[in-house]
Every structure is written in structure tokens, then in C-alpha cells.
Amino acid sequence: MRIDEAFIQTHNGKTLSDHRESFTYLCGKLEKRALDVDRLIDKIQGFQIAIPSWALGTGGTRFGRFPGGGEPRSLEEKMDDVGLLHALNKASGAISLHIPWDIPSDVAAIKAHAASHGLAFDAVNSNTFQDQPDQAHSYKFGSLCHTSEAVRQQAIEHNLEVIRHGVALGSKALTVWLADGSSFPGQTNFRKALQRTLDSLRQIYAGMPEDWKLFVEYKPYEPYFYSTVIQDWGTSHLLATELGERAFTLVDLGHHLPNTNIEQIVATLMMRGKLGGFHFNDSKFGDDDLTVGALKPYQLFLIFNELVEGMEDPEGINPAPAWMIDASHNLKDPLEDLLQSVEAIQMAYAQALLIDRKVLESARESNDPTLAQEILQDAYRTDVRPLIAEARLRSGAALRPIEAFRSLEVRKQLIQERGAKAISTGL
């Protein structure tokens, strides 16, 4: 299924007058603050957020999964779904593949299919947290950290295979998330496990092309219940530093213990030039992978405050981060959830762009916490939705993506095309 541009234009016409009124009002407010509205819109239009192939189907828990029908049954259909999102918001112009779930059978055809939707290939992702039917050794007790050299070598070879697939498609990065850990005290020698992981990652790093990046993800819990080998940002940073200048820490918003100051982690990594990118989601208790901004929109804004400050610092040394959503949707329509998540990210980014950084820094240097808070909250409380909508309008996207999605009855059409029992591959 593809969304016709004429439909989007017709749908936009129904709310264009209301949008113009809201946008004109916001422009007046922003111009009084000496903000260049066109510059802000250019930045928002250029902010692209990758969609992972595994987020296009219904997720679930260990207790059950309730598919909604019409899920993508192949890599081509996954790209079709990301193409639908990109047509509606013009901010989802990349797809992130997961190997072995998304191995292309015909690379040239897959690249052409992606190009027809205006999509690029973001970081590729390896999988050593599941046993595959044809593999010789099990990852039950770890992969890159395993006590067995044969198991470690199998995991290394898998990551090198993932790199080869990524090179063929035009990707430029590998993301490594390890489930490796232990469930009982005494089960694992922590030092040996970390050293083996580092040695394994070194072999993977050596197998990357010179223009590639390696993103090392971390997580303090799950699927093991006592320890994980890469449990926090410090361990990820340690590994990335040991590996070399093309290795970076990847921050997943759901991979932190409650009340962790994620924005401070972001600032520290950017200071060191080691922030590789983000997996966006939201969380209440654990790695819930809820809709971005559903629970902690202010924290998301504070994170973007640090990101914008780091990205716009002329003396900054951190390369441009990679942006991706990483979520599992067990109640909502996955495509609607992704549309909401992308907009939440855009809003936090736009709000952070409104901050007068010279005035904020003056308040900081003069130890004025009240003024500093006022500056941040004034930006956060600004309704930037008309700004985001205008960026979509100028890009040829829908003013109101969710409304357009429902008006077109996208899910109904996908069910008709793919069936009510279609379940996304890899889940």
C-alpha cells in the first residue's frame, strides 16, 4: 500500500485554515524572541528518525501477544510500512534492519524498493540473544562473553555477517546489544566475562569498513536477573574507548534504573565525543518500550536540551548522533504508535531549539537556579505543534498524520492485503 500525494493534499485542505491561524500566532511569539522561524523549520525538516524493522508488528510480553492483523510478512512489506510513515510525516526516512530477521534475498531489488519510498538504511543490528535453528552452539549462557571459545567465535562470525549485509545495503553502522549476563550470584566471573566481551568486540571492530561506526548498547537488567555484562553507560563507554575512535555508546531511554539522570549521561558522553546515538522510547518501571513522551515528556525535553547544546557547540567533538525509535507495541496499532513517537521526538527537539543559550549560560554562571528553571520551562511550555505541522506541510506530509492514517483506513487496507492473521517476521 502507498499513500497518494493527492490524498495528503486533500486531507490537509480540511485543516489548513486552522493550521495557518495557529502557525501565524506562534510565529508572532517566536519573532518577538528574535527567533528565525524558517531556520527552525529547516532544522526540524532535516531531523530524520529511523524506524526499526521489528517495531512494525505487534509486540507483547512473556504472557501473551495479541496481533492486530495486516502485519508485514517480509522485508519488502516492512519497508512498505516505513514508507507509509514517511509519506505521512516526512521524518521517518530510514529503516534499521535486524539480522537474521531481515536478510535480503536480492540486494539490488531491496535497495531499489527502499529508494522508491525515499528510504535509507540506518544501523544494522545483530542478534545473539536468540538461538537460530541452524546454529551449532547455544547462547543460553552468553555469546560474546561465553566461557566457550567456540560459542564466542560463532557470535563474532554472526556480527561480521551482519556487517557484510549492511555494507551491501549501504548502511554505515553496527549496533551490538548483548543479553549476556547471569541470574545467580557466583554464576559468572565478572572480570573474565567483561574481558572476553572486549576481546570479542575487538575482532568485530577490526572487521568493520573504515567508514563504519560501532554502537555499544547497555542495559542493567533483563533477560538475566542478577547481572548483565554491559550494565551501564560507563561500561559501554569503557568498551568503546578501548575499541577505538569509531566505537561509541548507544543510549536506549528504557535501559536505565528508575530516576537515572539520563540527560547528565548524554552531556558527559558528548563531552567525550562518544555519544553514538539514541534508541527512543518511554518507560515507567523497566524496559517497557512505551510510546516516546507518553510518561516523561519533560525528561525527553531535558535530554534534547543537552543534545542541542552539544550539537550546536562550535567546539564540540561529538559526531552527529544516530536517531532511532526502539519500541514494542502490545496495545496500540504499531504504525499509529510510531507516528506519535516521531512527533514527540520532534517536539522535544523543537522546544530545545527555542532556548536562549546565552541567557541560560549567564544564569548558570551567576548561580541563578530560579532564572535557569524559568528559561527551560518557558521553552518547554511553548506549544510547538504548529511549528512541527508547518515543517510537515512544507515537506509534503500530512498536517495531522494520525487523522490522515485513520481517514485512509490504513490498517483495514493492510488487513485486506495481508490477512487478519498476518504476523510480522522476527517477532
Side-chain angles (χ1 to χ4, degrees), residues 291-294 300 304 339-349:
T291 312
V292 181
L300 183 65
F304 267 98
L339 288 171
Q340 289 181 316
S341 288
V342 168
E343 183 163 44
I345 295 166
Q346 290 177 306
M347 287 175 61
Y349 176 52

Side-chain angles (χ1 to χ4, degrees), residues 162-175:
V162 173
I163 292 171
R164 289 192 291 272
H165 287 302
V167 169
L169 292 169
S171 176
K172 294 293 183 182
L174 169 70
T175 297

Side-chain angles (χ1 to χ4, degrees), residues 116-193:
S116 73
H117 287 293
L119 303 178
F121 289 96
D122 197 65
V124 285
N125 303 263
S126 58
N127 181 338
T128 60
F129 54 84
Q130 291 177 324
D131 285 350
Q132 304 303 322
D134 59 344
Q135 73 183 52
H137 307 286
S138 175
Y139 296 132
K140 180 177 181 179
F141 292 105
S143 60
L144 297 183
C145 82
H146 204 284
T147 56
S148 166
E149 183 178 356
V151 177
R152 296 198 301 274
Q153 192 58 42
Q154 175 181 273
I156 292 167
E157 289 298 329
H158 167 67
N159 278 274
L160 294 175
E161 177 195 2
V162 173
I163 292 171
R164 289 192 291 272
H165 287 302
V167 169
L169 292 169
S171 176
K172 294 293 183 182
L174 169 70
T175 297
V176 175
W177 173 71
L178 295 181
D180 295 15
S182 64
S183 288
F184 301 97
Q187 175 184 336
T188 297
N189 183 311
F190 295 145
R191 289 183 294 167
K192 286 184 177 179

Side-chain angles (χ1 to χ4, degrees), residues 74-283:
S74 64
L75 176 53
E76 289 83 355
E77 289 184 353
K78 290 176 180 179
M79 290 191 292
D80 289 340
D81 283 6
V82 179
L84 288 171
L85 297 174
H86 192 48
L88 289 168
N89 63 23
K90 293 301 182 185
S92 307
I95 183 170
S96 181
L97 303 189
H98 205 293
I99 308 299
W101 300 344
D102 305 308
I103 296 177
S105 56
D106 184 333
V107 171
I110 288 297
K111 291 175 71 174
H113 196 67
S116 73
H117 287 293
L119 303 178
F121 289 96
D122 197 65
V124 285
N125 303 263
S126 58
N127 181 338
T128 60
F129 54 84
Q130 291 177 324
D131 285 350
Q132 304 303 322
D134 59 344
Q135 73 183 52
H137 307 286
S138 175
Y139 296 132
K140 180 177 181 179
F141 292 105
S143 60
L144 297 183
C145 82
H146 204 284
T147 56
S148 166
E149 183 178 356
V151 177
R152 296 198 301 274
Q153 192 58 42
Q154 175 181 273
I156 292 167
E157 289 298 329
H158 167 67
N159 278 274
L160 294 175
E161 177 195 2
V162 173
I163 292 171
R164 289 192 291 272
H165 287 302
V167 169
L169 292 169
S171 176
K172 294 293 183 182
L174 169 70
T175 297
V176 175
W177 173 71
L178 295 181
D180 295 15
S182 64
S183 288
F184 301 97
Q187 175 184 336
T188 297
N189 183 311
F190 295 145
R191 289 183 294 167
K192 286 184 177 179
L194 184 58
Q195 184 62 56
R196 287 192 289 259
T197 299
L198 175 57
D199 293 342
S200 299
L201 286 172
R202 279 179 171 144
Q203 295 183 59
I204 296 168
Y205 185 84
M208 291 195 317
E210 289 298 318
D211 59 346
W212 269 52
K213 296 176 182 177
L214 175 63
F215 299 145
V216 182
E217 197 169 351
Y218 58 91
K219 189 176 184 181
Y221 46 78
E222 291 182 330
Y224 294 99
F225 301 106
Y226 177 59
S227 71
T228 54
V229 174
I230 309 178
Q231 79 275 24
D232 56 25
W233 73 274
T235 306
S236 170
H237 179 262
L238 181 154
L239 292 169
T241 301
E242 289 289 323
L243 291 173
E245 63 180 11
R246 293 181 292 116
F248 301 87
T249 292
L250 186 137
V251 176
D252 185 307
L253 295 188
H255 289 189
H256 300 89
L257 298 175
N259 299 319
T260 297
N261 192 328
I262 302 173
E263 52 268 38
Q264 187 173 13
I265 295 172
V266 169
T268 303
L269 288 171
M270 294 196 86
M271 182 187 77
R272 300 291 297 169
K274 279 294 185 180
L275 178 65
F278 267 84
H279 282 181
F280 290 106
N281 48 58
D282 210 335
S283 172

Side-chain angles (χ1 to χ4, degrees), residues 250-386:
L250 186 137
V251 176
D252 185 307
L253 295 188
H255 289 189
H256 300 89
L257 298 175
N259 299 319
T260 297
N261 192 328
I262 302 173
E263 52 268 38
Q264 187 173 13
I265 295 172
V266 169
T268 303
L269 288 171
M270 294 196 86
M271 182 187 77
R272 300 291 297 169
K274 279 294 185 180
L275 178 65
F278 267 84
H279 282 181
F280 290 106
N281 48 58
D282 210 335
S283 172
K284 178 66 172 179
F285 297 110
D287 189 12
D288 294 331
D289 289 337
L290 300 175
T291 312
V292 181
L295 294 175
K296 303 172 186 174
Y298 189 57
Q299 183 185 50
L300 183 65
F301 161 75
L302 293 176
I303 290 168
F304 267 98
N305 172 45
E306 298 300 333
L307 286 168
V308 168
E309 183 160 316
M311 291 187 295
E312 300 202 344
D313 183 356
E315 299 180 1
I317 60 173
N318 203 88
W323 317 109
M324 192 186 84
I325 294 170
D326 184 8
S328 177
H329 331 272
N330 54 21
L331 293 178
K332 295 179 180 176
D333 182 305
L335 298 183
E336 290 189 347
D337 191 294
L338 288 164
L339 288 171
Q340 289 181 316
S341 288
V342 168
E343 183 163 44
I345 295 166
Q346 290 177 306
M347 287 175 61
Y349 176 52
Q351 288 165 334
L353 290 173
L354 304 184
I355 297 169
D356 188 327
R357 303 215 162 264
K358 290 184 179 179
V359 177
L360 176 60
E361 194 58 26
S362 176
R364 289 166 169 170
E365 291 297 313
S366 60
N367 297 309
D368 190 340
T370 300
L371 179 57
Q373 178 181 331
E374 287 292 306
I375 293 167
L376 289 183
Q377 291 191 344
D378 181 59
Y380 174 69
R381 290 167 177 160
T382 301
D383 184 359
V384 295
R385 287 178 297 175

